[in-house]
Amino acid sequence: MKIRFALPPGPVSARALAAPSAEAEALLSRLDQNSFKPEPEEVLPILTDKGWRVLVGIGERAALDDATLRRIGGNLFAELAQAGIVHLAVGLDLSPEQTAQIAYGIQLRAWRTPLKYRKTPDEDEVWHLAEITMLCDAPEIARSCFARLESVGKAVHFARDLVVAPGNVLTPPAFVEALGDIPGIELEVIDPRKAGLNLLQAVGQGSAYKPALAVMRWRGADKKDKPAALVGKGITFDTGGIDIKPAKYMELMKGDMGGGAAVAGTLMALAARKAPVNVVGVVAIAENMVSGRASRPGDVVKGYGGLTVEIIDTDAEGRLALADALAYTSKELKPSKIIDLATLTGAVEIALGYLRAGLFTTDDALAARLLAAGEAEDEKLWRLPLVDVYDDAIKSEIADLKNCSWERGPDHIHAARFLQHFVPDDIPWAHLDIAGTSEAMEDGPLAAEGPTGFGVRLLDRVLA
Ligand code: BES
Ligand code: MN
Ligand code: ZN
């Protein structure tokens, strides 16, 4: 899908195109008789005797912020992609900056599961809409605004492509390879067995594929500036291991690397727009499988920092893999701060649903920045308590910690407290549990049902 920016045709200005014309008035009154009221952000295509006309509800002008504009763009694309329209001209009475935000919304929504996984696409899957021309009074300004946004949008698409990829396609080595292909990013691949990342090794040892710790670097600022670190859970498939998951919906666990995909996407976006920051992205990559070499419940494993963990449940593997990634990052990469993202617990999905990710941190300033960025980007967070009251739940009789508890309790908080043991107190750290938000259960304005790429836009904004 191509998005162009142009001046409105002939002497007609964008303002005139957007102004209520006699034709539009007539349409609206006809719709009114049918008790249709265009709601803000609603898009209504109408086939008239003069061809297609599209009504767009923009609501109160004063409330027209960037997030609203993007949602309008997304809805516009969703309504029109399959309507039979091939080339759409959009003339709204908006500034070039606002026009670029509409275009960004269109781009974000214009992703779908790659058709390469089918022999032939279904008839009703065809997107007719091939080209959109955004009309405004200063198209070159809109174009340059969009160029920056578009690079983030491409990174969101990249993250979604990774999440949707089946477990037999995005295996651990394939994931490593995909990370190595990000333009402008340096990749270092660490063998967990050689480096003493024994928890990550324990998670991956049942698989035919070797686990890996991927370290990606973007240097956009002074060499002396400490990098911000992003750490992602990259379980390419989570069977649960010996504590195997129920069959129903297990296939969704191909997306258990959504945190790693968000980290990779953010680095892609930062490099594409040459952001003046230093960032390291660390992804703990493994496949959690069942086999004669898989970890057993009750195994005790010494993690990278020296703490030992009793593996109570092999299905609580994400926190094991992340623990080593966090300890390694803290010790070896000297970060200014750490933000980790993981599809970590079913519990957070129950607590917060699909519209907000869980935020755990002891750093109020970092919390404020993350929460604000989440609101601005429509990647919303909700802060949850990182408190010691449940610590007994992860005390082990034999090791320093156990990875979960069989008792009823808030597993998302247990998991966050578990992770906290692997980050020294003097490094500001935040943990985002994105198990509910990494994939949408229904269509939304910026993403259809399926992978959302949650985290890329949020982190891009926080690091910018
Ligand atoms: N990857 C899952 C968490 C998950 C659940 C992600 C649903 C996305 C959607 C994680 O590895 C897991 O299995 N967690 C267990 C932990 C339990 C065994 C303590 C869970 O949430 O059931
Ligand atoms: Mn699991
Ligand atoms: Zn998992």
Side-chain angles (χ1 to χ4, degrees):
M1 228 256 322
K2 235 173 101 185
I3 301 181
R4 297 174 53 238
F5 295 86
L7 282 168
V12 193
S13 72
R15 187 168 298 265
L17 282 174
S21 61
E23 187 199 348
E25 296 288 359
L27 265 178
L28 277 170
S29 76
R30 222 172 69 205
L31 292 169
D32 211 20
Q33 287 156 21
N34 297 314
S35 80
F36 171 80
K37 267 198 122 92
E39 297 288 336
E41 302 179 26
E42 203 173 336
V43 172
L44 187 74
I46 303 164
L47 187 57
T48 71
D49 49 7
K50 297 198 183 84
W52 282 100
R53 296 292 183 265
V54 182
L55 296 177
V56 180
I58 65 168
E60 291 295 330
R61 268 190 182 272
L64 209 52
D65 57 11
D66 288 351
T68 309
L69 290 161
R70 288 193 294 266
R71 291 193 298 268
I72 291 172
N75 290 340
L76 192 68
F77 183 82
E79 280 300 333
L80 300 183
Q82 283 160 297
I85 300 168
V86 176
H87 181 184
L88 178 74
V90 181
L92 297 165
D93 179 12
L94 297 170
S95 71
E97 291 80 6
Q98 291 176 314
T99 304
Q101 291 290 342
I102 298 255
Y104 186 32
I106 292 172
Q107 186 210 0
L108 288 170
R109 190 61 159 79
W111 180 92
R112 61 165 151 193
T113 302
L115 294 172
K116 68 178 178 192
Y117 294 111
R118 281 204 209 287
K119 186 175 180 201
T120 40
D122 288 353
E123 214 41 56
D124 64 0
E125 279 182 328
V126 178
W127 284 351
H128 305 105
L129 196 52
E131 189 173 335
I132 297 182
T133 306
M134 306 295 301
L135 303 174
C136 70
D137 296 332
E140 64 294 337
I141 298 178
R143 204 176 295 129
S144 81
C145 287
F146 181 61
R148 182 184 182 288
L149 298 169
E150 191 186 23
S151 62
V152 183
K154 280 186 181 153
V156 171
H157 286 197
F158 173 67
R160 291 177 186 172
D161 284 336
L162 292 172
V163 169
V164 88
N168 64 333
V169 174
L170 197 81
T171 58
F175 197 8
V176 170
E177 200 183 316
L179 300 182
D181 285 344
I182 302 173
I185 299 296
E186 240 175 74
L187 174 70
E188 181 190 352
V189 184
I190 294 161
D191 180 341
R193 208 175 39 83
K194 289 185 190 144
L197 298 156
N198 303 323
L199 290 167
L200 177 56
Q201 178 66 27
V203 170
Q205 73 190 29
S207 168
Y209 301 105
K210 281 213 265 180
L213 190 78
V215 179
M216 293 172 276
R217 286 187 175 84
W218 164 248
R219 284 197 191 91
D222 197 292
K223 263 206 158 90
K224 293 189 295 284
D225 289 0
K226 281 184 171 183
L230 304 176
V231 176
K233 170 174 173 182
I235 302 300
T236 62
F237 195 84
D238 180 12
T239 65
I242 296 298
D243 293 297
I244 196 166
K245 288 179 179 294
K248 196 173 180 187
Y249 300 132
M250 196 203 281
E251 73 280 5
L252 296 178
M253 285 300 123
K254 70 177 181 178
D256 209 15
M257 26 54 66
V263 170
T266 305
L267 272 103
M268 176 183 267
L270 294 171
R273 61 185 185 74
K274 303 214 170 2
V277 284
N278 292 337
V279 179
V280 287
V282 179
V283 185
I285 299 174
E287 187 181 42
N288 188 20
M289 293 296 271
V290 190
S291 86
R293 278 178 298 149
S295 290
R296 290 151 291 259
D299 282 2
V300 173
V301 179
K302 186 185 274 188
Y304 188 75
L307 283 173
T308 58
V309 179
E310 181 185 9
I311 301 175
I312 297 295
D313 190 326
T314 61
D315 196 14
E317 86 297 342
R319 61 199 80 177
L320 300 174
L322 273 182
D324 265 353
L326 288 170
Y328 182 90
T329 301
S330 306
K331 190 152 175 273
E332 309 299 338
L333 305 176
K334 305 273 181 294
S336 59
K337 59 172 148 311
I338 303 179
I339 303 169
D340 79 67
L341 296 93
T343 49
L344 203 63
T345 67
V348 86
E349 210 176 322
I350 292 165
L352 297 178
Y354 300 111
L355 295 176
R356 282 177 189 266
L359 161 65
F360 296 88
T361 181
T362 51
D363 189 305
D364 292 343
L366 187 54
R369 279 174 65 188
L370 283 161
L371 288 165
E375 295 301 317
E377 290 294 344
D378 263 334
E379 291 195 323
K380 295 191 165 87
L381 307 175
W382 196 258
R383 193 170 177 185
L384 293 167
L386 188 65
V387 291
D388 62 8
V389 284
Y390 308 107
D391 283 3
D392 279 348
I394 51 170
K395 280 200 179 116
S396 164
E397 296 293 328
I398 184 169
D400 297 322
L401 290 162
K402 59 184 183 186
N403 69 337
C404 63
S405 152
W406 292 122
E407 308 310 318
R408 267 171 72 92
D411 181 55
H412 49 316
I413 301 180
H414 297 170
R417 279 297 281 184
F418 178 87
L419 294 178
Q420 198 178 4
H421 285 88
F422 298 88
V423 186
D425 288 339
D426 59 352
I427 302 179
W429 163 69
H431 158 58
L432 307 183
D433 193 337
I434 61 168
T437 54
S438 181
E439 297 194 55
M441 293 298 139
E442 51 188 69
D443 293 353
L446 302 181
E449 183 185 338
T452 57
F454 188 98
V456 175
R457 287 181 290 130
L458 172 83
L459 294 173
D460 178 75
R461 180 176 285 260
V462 165
L463 297 175

